[in-house]
């Protein structure tokens, strides 16, 4: 259950992994299950597409605090971060989700605040899409994880199988991704935390998968995309 995860959840993943989609699904589910205040920060200053800041009004309507740029100019891509980022780190009345940029350069942003993040107060989850060229092998996934860990100064504590082709995803895609994250898990001693799946595919999933099945909606992609 997501309520068993540590209070600060840092979400990382390569470009095209579905990291931000997972982050917004995670935080909306979290909002339903906890009484504490909930915040989501968009720390992705590298990729300009499909960022959680695009759903700021939705988040506000759900009583989730959205944190992104210090400049209120949504049509501009400016790498300016809000000072609010540290508030939910320091204030333990918050449950906090941090959506971090997709590579080691993006991870440097969270590295600026790692001195504030206590070892037993965070999880860093790596979202893996085995259909992306950069993360199709265990070696490439591990290389990505190590680069992120080096830049952020924090350790990955869980793996998320989010292997997909958006609305064309098949059960075979998910199972291929599961084999990949299971191999990475064994090589790195990092548990598989979640298996992301569109709700209509859940009945086809085997019952003995490592990790909790995580139903997902497509918040970040409109119906026409």
């Amino acid at each position: 259950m997501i309520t068993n995860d540590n209070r600060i959840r840092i979400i990382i993943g390569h470009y095209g992994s579905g990291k931000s989609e997972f982050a917004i699904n995670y935080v909306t589910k979290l909002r339903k299950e906890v009484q504490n205040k909930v915040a989501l920060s968009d720390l992705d200053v590298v990729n300009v597409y499909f960022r959680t800041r695009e759903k700021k009004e939705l988040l506000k309507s759900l009583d989730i605090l959205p944190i992104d740029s210090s400049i209120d100019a949504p049509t501009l891509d400016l790498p300016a971060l809000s000072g609010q980022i540290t508030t939910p780190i320091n204030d333990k009345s918050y449950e906090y989700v941090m959506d971090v940029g997709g590579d080691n350069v993006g991870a440097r942003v969270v590295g600026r605040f790692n001195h504030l993040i206590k070892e037993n107060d965070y999880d860093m989850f790596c979202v893996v899409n085995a259909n992306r060229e950069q993360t199709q092998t265990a070696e490439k996934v591990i290389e990505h994880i190590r680069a992120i860990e080096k830049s952020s100064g924090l350790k990955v504590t869980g793996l998320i199988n989010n292997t997909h082709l958006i609305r064309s995803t098949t059960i075979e895609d998910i199972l291929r991704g599961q084999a990949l994250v299971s191999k990475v898990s064994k090589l790195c001693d990092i548990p598989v935390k979640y298996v992301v799946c569109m709700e209509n595919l859940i009945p086809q999933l085997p019952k003995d998968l490592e990790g909790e099945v995580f139903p997902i909606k497509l918040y970040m992609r409109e119906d026409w995309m």
Side-chain angles (χ1 to χ4, degrees):
M1 294 179 60
I2 61 175
T3 51
N4 293 333
D5 296 336
N6 283 320
R7 186 181 67 85
I8 300 170
R9 292 88 160 173
I10 303 165
I11 313 299
I12 66 166
H14 225 299
Y15 306 117
S17 65
K19 166 184 62 68
S20 293
E21 190 73 82
F22 175 80
I24 197 166
N25 273 268
Y26 186 103
V27 78
T28 54
K29 182 177 175 65
L30 184 64
R31 173 69 284 171
K32 295 175 184 177
E33 298 191 10
V34 300
Q35 297 299 316
N36 287 3
K37 294 180 287 187
V38 176
L40 170 67
S41 61
D42 180 352
L43 304 187
D44 194 341
V45 297
V46 178
N47 180 27
V48 300
Y49 301 107
F50 304 113
R51 295 186 293 188
T52 50
R53 67 185 66 186
E54 298 170 18
K55 299 299 177 181
K56 183 183 293 188
E57 295 308 314
L58 170 65
L59 295 169
K60 287 180 179 178
S61 74
L62 297 173
D63 193 27
I64 298 167
L65 174 65
I67 302 170
D68 47 77
S69 177
S70 60
I71 299 173
D72 187 14
T75 59
L76 299 178
D77 183 46
L78 300 172
L81 295 172
S82 169
Q84 269 190 304
I85 289 169
T86 60
T87 299
I89 296 176
N90 296 318
D91 185 346
K92 293 186 182 295
S93 67
Y94 276 96
E95 301 284 333
Y96 196 16
V97 178
M98 306 174 78
D99 180 15
V100 180
D103 62 7
N104 59 313
V105 176
R108 290 176 190 165
V109 175
V110 76
R112 291 170 53 185
F113 311 106
N114 63 13
H115 63 289
L116 301 174
I117 300 173
K118 308 301 181 186
E119 183 176 352
N120 61 351
D121 202 26
Y122 84 91
D123 277 302
M124 186 155 73
F125 297 141
C126 181
V127 178
V128 178
N129 181 358
N131 284 330
R132 300 298 294 179
E133 182 180 357
Q134 301 94 330
T135 51
Q136 286 184 338
T137 68
E139 292 73 24
K140 288 184 176 181
V141 175
I142 294 169
E143 181 181 349
H144 175 63
I145 288 173
R146 297 308 180 219
I148 294 285
E149 289 180 332
K150 183 177 180 180
S151 289
S152 68
L154 301 169
K155 290 291 184 182
V156 170
T157 62
L159 301 170
I160 297 166
N161 174 19
N162 190 34
T163 300
H164 68 89
L165 288 169
I166 313 175
R167 293 180 179 86
S168 300
T169 304
T170 66
I171 202 71
E172 288 75 23
D173 291 314
I174 297 169
L175 294 180
R176 186 172 66 257
Q178 190 69 10
L180 175 61
V181 294
S182 295
K183 183 176 181 180
V184 173
S185 175
K186 291 180 174 64
L187 290 171
C188 298
D189 195 26
I190 301 172
V192 179
K193 289 290 296 185
Y194 298 108
V195 182
V196 177
C197 185
M198 295 289 287
E199 291 180 348
N200 64 304
L201 292 176
I202 289 176
Q204 301 178 49
L205 286 176
K207 304 301 182 186
D208 58 348
L209 291 178
E210 181 183 2
E212 180 181 339
V213 175
F214 192 100
I216 198 169
K217 298 178 181 179
L218 295 181
Y219 287 101
M220 301 303 300
R221 290 181 180 265
E222 307 299 339
D223 290 341
W224 56 269
M225 291 185 179

